[in-house]
Structure formats: C-alpha cells, structure tokens
C-alpha cells in the first residue's frame, strides 16, 4: 500500500503546466501524518499486506524541511516496526545539495527527479519563479547523486514538439531510465490542445532508437507494455493496470484524502478528512468503492470485448473525470491508445525480433571466435 503525502503545495518553480494549478501555499501538519501512521496497520490488515510505502510529494517536498521529514520518518519507523516500510520522494531536483544527499542516504529515501528532456525543451516549461532555466542545475545535481552512490528515477512530462532523436540521445548521455507521460489538460495546462497523438509518435521513435542501440535502455511505460504483450509480467503503471483506488491513497496538506495525487487541484472525488475518519474508513468510503468499481463498469460497457483491455483497463480514473466530468468513462484518447497498442503488437514486436536476431548472430560470432582461440591454444600445447 502506498500513501501519497502531499506535504506542501509550495514550490520554488513556476512550471507552465503544473498539475497543482495556482493553489495557495499549504503545509501538512505533522499530526496529520502521525494519525495516518497510527491508522495504517488496520488498513494493511484489511488489504492483507505487510508492505507500506510513503511517497513524499508536493509542490516541492524538500521545502518541507529535513528536520520535519526526519521526525515523520522516525515516527513511522517506530510505530510500524512490524511492517516493511519504504520512503520515496518525488522532487524537481533543484534543491539537492550535500546536506540533502547526506539526509537521503541516512534515511534511505528513494527519489524520483522531474526533468522533461534535453535543456532546450525542459527549460521552456520548467523555470524558476523569477524565470530562470533549471535544466543544467538539475543535471548537475543528478551527477552529485551518482557520485554519492545514490540511484534515482526520472519522470518526464512531454507537452510540446520534441525532437525524439535528441531526447533519446539526452536519455542515453545521462544514463537515465525515465518514465514518460503526456501532459494532462488540468491545473495550469487547462485548455492545452490534445497532445496524445504526438506523444505516441515520440514513444514509437524512442523504441526504435532503443532497439537499434548497442545496449537498449529502459524507457517506461514502453518496456512494461511490451513485457505485458509477451506475457512476461503485468504492467505496474497505475494508469494502465486498473489498480486505481486499491493500492494507494493520497493525503492532501489539509488532511483530506483522495485516490490520486493528480487530483489535488480540483479534488473531484475525495474520500473525506483524516481528522474525522480513520484511514480504513476513508479507504472504504463511497467514493473509494466507486473508483474501484470503475473496472467492472467499463469491462461490461465501453471496454467490453476490447482486445487491449489487459494492457489498458480503460485508462486513468483521474483523466476520465478531468476530461468528461464522470468517472464512468474510458480513456479520453482511446482510439489513439488502441492504435499505439496495435503498433506495439506488430511493428514494435518486429523491431524486438530484429534486435534479438542481431544479438543471436553476435553471440554466434563470439562463440565461434572463442572456439577458434581454444583450438589454437590446444594446438600450441600439443606442439
């Protein structure tokens, strides 16, 4: 079970597509977090799990402060000593310094960094409040993390005309394994034109480049979708696997809870306040049950008989509400997503097959060379 904690709506950046919109600055009181920890064992017992993840989110969670975070983490570790507890943080990466690196290592916090590709495209949208670029600062901070032996994930939001080849070269040059999403028309991006078709074209080219490269990297959700098509493993990404409302719960700064961190600006379907209810009561609230019932509804109606159901599950619940004003709607770009899945099943798998054939030939050549060397060594020994 993942607990998404919107610790603060404050941020040091002024991203043009910010999903939070222009909410006033809010900060989660520590007693809200403490209560979520106290209530968590009952929820974990209900879902029959011993695993708990706390995802520190924002705004920019580093603005919450190290000492405050240390108190939260210490309390959780003490109260949840019988459970498997992990701590994660999604940050814009601009505030990372030696003190933060020491803190992240000491507290064993796994972090994800938001960076939207090569500097020219990133700096178009993700700038400071006084309109300064941020890409080079973030890239430098990622190097500091690596030098300190800390791994991190990267989250990219694609929302403009992007040179897919430059993006791939940037990913490889910086040794990234990104998760790439299209922009959602919410928050400050309300009214932005539909971008999913362009996003699909970019992802196709990234897959082509990856499978052509000397050593293919990992780009999500591409790798997870292909693994699912081949039957290796189900997709973990929540906007594809239909797990909404089951495996995570979000707590906003004022203690109101909901199904997703994306929903903080509009709060379409909240569960209630943690000040008035236990975490388990909120998880079992009417809106939470309705979100979980969305899968059954779509499978019997809009998505009935769809070949791609196991790869899509009707798409993201938040995006359905955001686009149509109702939860009982399938993904807003259904036809484009279907076309993408069809391409992955056909051309995508052909690209993978060609890659595997090349690898097989390289392996055969390598084995032949080793066999020849062994034969020559034996001849030398016999002389």
């Amino acid at each position: 079970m993942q607990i998404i904690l919107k610790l603060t709506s404050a941020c040091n950046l002024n991203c043009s597509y910010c999903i939070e919109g222009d909410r006033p600055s809010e900060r989660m009181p520590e007693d809200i977090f403490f209560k979520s920890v106290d209530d968590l064992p009952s929820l974990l017992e209900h879902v029959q799990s011993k695993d708990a993840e706390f995802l520190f989110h924002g705004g920019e969670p580093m603005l919450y402060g190290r000492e405050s975070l240390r108190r939260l983490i210490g309390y959780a570790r003490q109260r949840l000593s019988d459970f498997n507890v992990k701590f994660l943080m999604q940050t814009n990466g601009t505030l990372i310094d030696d003190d933060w690196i020491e803190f992240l290592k000491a507290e064993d916090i796994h972090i994800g960094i938001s960076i939207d590709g090569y500097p020219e495209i990133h700096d178009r949208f993700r700038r400071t409040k006084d309109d300064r670029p941020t890409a080079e600062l973030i890239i430098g901070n990622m190097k500091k993390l690596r030098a300190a032996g800390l791994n991190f994930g990267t989250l990219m939001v694609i929302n403009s005309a992007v040179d897919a080849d430059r993006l791939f070269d940037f990913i490889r040059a910086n040794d990234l394994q990104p998760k790439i999403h299209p922009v959602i028309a919410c928050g400050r991006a309300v009214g932005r034109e539909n971008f999913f078709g362009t996003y699909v074209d970019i992802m196709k080219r990234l897959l082509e480049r990856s499978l052509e490269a000397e050593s293919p990297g990992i780009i999500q959700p591409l790798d997870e979708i292909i693994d699912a098509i081949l039957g290796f493993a189900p997709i973990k990404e929540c906007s594809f696997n239909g797990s909404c409302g089951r495996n995570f719960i979000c707590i906003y700064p004022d203690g109101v809870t909901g199904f997703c961190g994306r929903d903080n600006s509009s709060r379409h379907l909240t569960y209630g306040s943690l000040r008035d209810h236990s975490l388990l009561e909120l998880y079992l609230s009417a809106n939470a049950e309705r979100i979980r019932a969305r899968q059954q509804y779509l499978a019997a109606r809009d998505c009935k008989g769809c070949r791609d159901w196991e790869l899509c599950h009707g798409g993201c619940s938040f995006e359905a509400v955001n686009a149509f004003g109702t939860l009982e709607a399938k993904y807003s770009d259904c036809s484009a997503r279907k076309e993408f899945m069809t391409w992955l099943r056909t051309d995508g798998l052909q690209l993978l097959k060609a890659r595997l054939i090349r690898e097989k030939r390289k392996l055969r050549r390598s084995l032949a060379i080793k066999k020849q060397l062994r034969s020559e060594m034996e001849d030398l020994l016999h002389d």
Side-chain angles (χ1 to χ4, degrees), residues 360-371:
K360 181 179 179 180
R361 288 171 177 166
K362 285 172 59 178
L363 181 60
R364 281 179 172 174
R365 287 196 296 270
S366 177
L367 290 173
I369 291 171
K370 289 180 180 178
K371 184 177 181 180

Side-chain angles (χ1 to χ4, degrees), residues 326-337:
T326 178
L327 188 68
E328 288 76 20
K330 62 182 179 180
Y331 188 62
S332 56
D333 292 295
C334 175
S335 59
R337 181 176 273 195

Side-chain angles (χ1 to χ4, degrees), residues 205-223:
R205 181 57 182 157
L206 290 177
L207 181 63
E208 291 171 350
R209 286 293 307 275
S210 179
L211 293 177
E212 290 168 357
E214 183 68 22
S215 56
I218 296 174
I219 298 175
Q220 301 295 12
L222 284 172
D223 287 69

Side-chain angles (χ1 to χ4, degrees), residues 57-189:
H57 214 284
E60 171 48 50
M62 285 191 174
L63 291 175
Y64 200 74
R66 287 187 295 276
E67 291 310 311
S68 294
L69 281 171
R70 186 174 282 114
R71 285 193 295 273
L72 304 190
I73 292 169
Y75 187 85
R77 286 204 170 110
Q78 178 186 21
R79 300 285 291 184
L80 301 172
S81 58
D82 293 335
F83 298 88
N84 306 314
V85 181
K86 289 178 63 176
F87 299 94
L88 305 92
M89 177 186 290
Q90 184 64 38
T91 173
N92 62 38
T94 61
L95 301 177
I96 295 170
D97 57 17
D98 291 342
D99 289 336
W100 270 109
I101 288 173
E102 182 180 346
F103 176 81
L104 294 169
K105 291 181 73 172
E107 299 296 345
D108 192 22
I109 300 174
H110 306 264
I111 70 168
I113 296 177
S114 298
I115 184 165
D116 290 349
Y118 50 91
E120 180 184 329
I121 198 71
H122 172 96
D123 287 335
R124 190 180 302 174
F125 305 102
R126 298 183 64 84
R127 304 179 74 85
T128 63
K129 291 187 181 297
D130 56 355
D131 201 34
R132 288 180 289 112
T134 59
E136 293 302 333
L137 172 61
I138 297 168
I139 292 168
N141 288 341
M142 291 193 298
K143 291 177 180 178
K144 289 180 182 178
L145 288 169
R146 283 211 177 93
L150 288 176
N151 295 320
F152 54 88
T154 46
L155 178 65
M156 295 183 178
V157 176
I158 302 299
N159 68 117
S160 182
V162 173
D163 185 322
D165 289 298
R166 282 187 66 187
L167 179 60
F168 181 80
D169 291 340
F170 173 81
I171 290 169
R172 297 306 296 270
N174 290 278
D175 193 23
L176 304 180
Q177 296 183 356
K179 180 184 291 186
I180 305 177
H181 291 311
V183 68
I184 302 173
C186 65
R188 291 186 192 142

Side-chain angles (χ1 to χ4, degrees), residues 301-372:
R301 293 173 177 81
D302 289 8
C303 302
K304 185 176 182 179
C306 179
R307 180 190 184 189
D308 297 316
W309 172 255
E310 291 301 323
L311 303 177
C312 174
H313 292 91
C316 171
S317 299
F318 168 73
E319 292 186 54
V321 177
N322 185 64
F324 302 114
T326 178
L327 188 68
E328 288 76 20
K330 62 182 179 180
Y331 188 62
S332 56
D333 292 295
C334 175
S335 59
R337 181 176 273 195
K338 280 185 177 181
E339 184 273 332
F340 186 36
M341 297 302 182
T342 298
W343 184 87
L344 288 171
R345 291 182 191 274
T346 54
D347 293 16
L349 290 187
Q350 284 300 317
L351 289 169
L352 177 59
K353 180 180 178 181
R355 167 82 198 192
L356 293 175
I357 290 172
R358 291 196 300 273
E359 292 292 327
K360 181 179 179 180
R361 288 171 177 166
K362 285 172 59 178
L363 181 60
R364 281 179 172 174
R365 287 196 296 270
S366 177
L367 290 173
I369 291 171
K370 289 180 180 178
K371 184 177 181 180
Q372 178 64 29

Side-chain angles (χ1 to χ4, degrees), residues 239-251:
S239 58
F240 290 87
N241 68 13
S243 64
C244 191
R246 289 182 173 82
N247 301 331
F248 48 85
I249 187 168
C250 182
I251 306 174

